[in-house]
Amino acid sequence: MAAKVLAIVLAGGEGKRLMPLTTDRAKPAVPFGGMYRMVDFVLSNLANGGYLKIVVLTQYKSHSLDRHITTTWRMSTMLGNYVTPVPAQQRRGPWWFAGSADAIYQSFNLINDEQPDYVIVFGADHIYRMDPRQMVEEHIASGAAVTVAGIRQPLSMADQFGVIEVGADGRQIRAFREKPTDAVGLPDAPDQIYASMGNYVFTTTALCEAVERDAEDKTSKHDMGGSIIPMLVERGEANVYDFRDNEVPGSTDRDRGYWRDVGTLDSFYDAHMDLINVHPVFNLYNFEWPIYSNQPPYPPAKFVHAWGERVGRAVGSLISPGSVISGSLVENSIVSPKVRVHSWAHVDGAVLMEGVEIGRHAVVRRAILDKNVYVPEGAEIGVDLEKDRQRYTVSDNGIVVIGKGQRVEP
């Protein structure tokens, strides 16, 4: 008989480092790649892997996230499948989630209702493909209390990650440390470390016991990575799953093992640029492992005008349905649905979200424009960064970010 598995997606983070994109939406609800929301990537991985009982724990600014999940992620109720958002409900007292471990503690009713043998706990704000079945199978075979997904990274970058240190067998975790400056390399690759991907598979009894114990500790931060995993590591009950071993159907040598934590504006921008190469670092065109999302009935993208310099064209870009590139040039960019780029405008290296309008003769370079931003005729974004800093958010790497619905000054 197949093991019973419940998937819990943690989607309650504030996403402060992605402001202004998270001004009025939860981080997992931020649009990504033109047609998607961040949460679609983890949900697609779970659905493609056949795990169809999924709860999404939400908390901050969750309306657009809740609406997206309920309107997009509909499963067959006849077969008992579901994807459902679950907000903080104060089931354990008059307080909200105090951390990711507390979110699970306050949601024990979900586990009790399903009575699963194993619980998948994945984050909601990473961009990647993964077949979770392979991780679950390895976890079951190991007999461990928890298996933590780890991705190999250079030893020199250890101070940027939660680092998993393993024993001589290369599997059992002997230490789980946050951004160490003295990390030890892997037994089979001394110049590499395992960075935690924030994805876990638990044996249900072990998860519940650990979370209950953590809830009683008033000094704990009640965090999965900072509290629960170290507890199980200390007891010798935690293993690592090497993401390098994960074989996703349809993946290419170039995008195999791709994973990005898009927690900052620069990483969010860089992850978008990974989509648009001739042979992309992350390939959206893998039809064997699709990324699902809501697809409104928009018409195909349209390119119009073709005389002189007034030629509608796009190069090295992703153009979504419902968009019109009218006598203008779009290069190296992501264009979401219902975008209008008017004549003689030039867009280069930009992420334009749904409903953005670029006026005639405007210039937009190395920028992220949230939904319904209007750039008037002749305006310039990303040309004079000092001027942009006085009006908008500019990232450490010089990416200009303009919040939802903002009207750009001429």
Side-chain angles (χ1 to χ4, degrees):
M1 184 176 179
K4 293 179 63 178
V5 177
L6 173 68
I8 296 178
V9 174
L10 301 174
E14 290 185 77
K16 292 181 179 179
R17 295 182 297 166
L18 278 181
M19 293 287 284
L21 304 180
T22 50
T23 298
D24 67 348
R25 61 164 78 92
K27 181 180 174 184
V30 174
F32 186 88
M35 301 292 294
Y36 312 96
R37 305 265 187 154
M38 282 194 202
V39 73
D40 291 326
F41 291 82
V42 63
L43 294 179
S44 295
N45 287 326
L46 292 168
N48 284 325
Y51 298 117
L52 303 179
K53 296 179 186 291
I54 306 170
V55 294
V56 183
L57 303 186
T58 67
Q59 181 162 221
Y60 298 101
K61 303 174 185 176
S62 63
H63 172 66
S64 63
L65 178 60
D66 293 342
R67 182 178 59 192
H68 176 73
I69 292 171
T70 55
T71 58
T72 302
W73 286 92
R74 296 183 177 181
M75 299 292 187
S76 172
T77 56
M78 180 182 297
L79 300 177
N81 302 324
Y82 56 83
V83 179
T84 184
V86 179
Q89 301 177 68
Q90 299 191 352
R91 284 180 172 268
R92 299 284 180 167
W95 55 81
W96 302 114
F97 296 152
S100 54
D102 184 55
I104 293 177
Y105 178 65
Q106 292 198 43
S107 304
F108 268 179
N109 62 298
L110 305 172
I111 298 174
N112 293 333
D113 288 346
E114 285 297 336
Q115 293 291 304
D117 302 307
Y118 303 96
V119 180
I120 296 171
V121 180
F122 280 11
D125 46 21
H126 300 144
I127 306 302
Y128 67 111
R129 276 192 179 90
M130 177 184 188
D131 183 349
R133 293 171 297 193
Q134 297 165 34
M135 184 176 174
V136 171
E137 289 167 1
E138 184 169 303
H139 172 78
I140 294 173
S142 73
V146 64
T147 298
V148 183
I151 184 169
R152 291 172 181 252
Q153 297 290 336
L155 177 63
S156 60
M157 297 176 62
D159 60 356
Q160 301 179 34
F161 299 103
V163 173
I164 302 164
E165 296 183 358
V166 295
D169 64 356
R171 282 290 180 256
Q172 186 174 18
I173 302 175
R174 64 178 182 83
F176 191 94
R177 299 196 291 158
E178 187 66 27
K179 299 180 179 180
T181 57
D182 59 346
V184 177
L186 299 177
D188 64 347
D191 60 340
Q192 296 179 350
I193 50 95
Y194 281 128
S196 173
M197 297 170 62
N199 287 358
Y200 316 108
V201 177
F202 288 91
T203 300
T204 302
T205 53
L207 171 64
C208 293
E209 188 274 334
V211 169
E212 284 185 311
R213 178 183 295 184
D214 176 73
E216 297 170 357
D217 183 357
K218 303 305 180 184
T219 66
S220 173
K221 294 182 179 179
H222 307 299
D223 180 72
M224 294 301 294
S227 306
I228 302 302
I229 303 304
M231 181 193 304
L232 296 175
V233 167
E234 185 176 346
R235 288 158 48 176
E237 299 178 354
N239 279 8
V240 67
Y241 174 75
D242 191 341
F243 185 52
R244 184 181 64 175
D245 297 335
N246 197 259
E247 296 284 352
V248 175
S251 63
T252 66
D253 290 340
R254 184 159 170 77
D255 77 338
R256 185 171 180 268
Y258 181 95
W259 177 82
R260 293 291 184 271
D261 179 354
V262 288
T264 67
L265 292 171
D266 285 323
S267 62
F268 180 83
Y269 178 85
D270 290 343
H272 274 90
M273 296 301 106
D274 288 342
L275 305 176
I276 57 177
N277 293 330
V278 175
H279 300 291
V281 183
F282 184 70
N283 180 24
L284 289 176
Y285 296 86
N286 180 353
F287 298 110
E288 295 183 49
W289 198 270
I291 305 301
Y292 298 103
S293 191
N294 185 28
Q295 304 291 340
Y298 296 143
K302 183 168 66 171
F303 301 79
V304 296
H305 298 305
W307 57 272
E309 295 183 358
R310 192 186 187 193
V311 179
R313 60 208 189 277
V315 180
S317 301
L318 296 179
I319 310 298
S320 300
S323 295
V324 179
I325 312 301
S326 175
S328 52
L329 174 60
V330 175
E331 298 181 281
N332 311 309
S333 297
I334 309 294
V335 176
S336 302
K338 296 173 63 179
V339 167
R340 298 290 185 273
V341 185
H342 292 284
S343 293
W344 299 289
H346 186 193
V347 176
D348 187 6
V351 178
L352 307 182
M353 295 188 187
E354 184 171 330
V356 166
E357 185 170 358
I358 310 296
R360 291 185 170 199
H361 300 285
V363 176
V364 179
R365 296 177 183 164
R366 287 173 52 80
I368 302 169
L369 276 54
D370 206 339
K371 286 185 173 183
N372 301 319
V373 168
Y374 176 75
V375 179
E377 182 172 350
E380 295 182 340
I381 301 297
V383 176
D384 184 341
L385 291 183
E386 291 306 313
K387 182 178 179 181
D388 289 333
R389 285 190 179 94
Q390 298 172 15
R391 301 178 294 175
Y392 316 116
T393 299
V394 179
S395 74
D396 292 341
N397 291 347
I399 307 302
V400 182
V401 186
I402 302 179
K404 184 190 294 185
Q406 189 168 345
R407 187 181 180 92
V408 171
E409 299 176 15

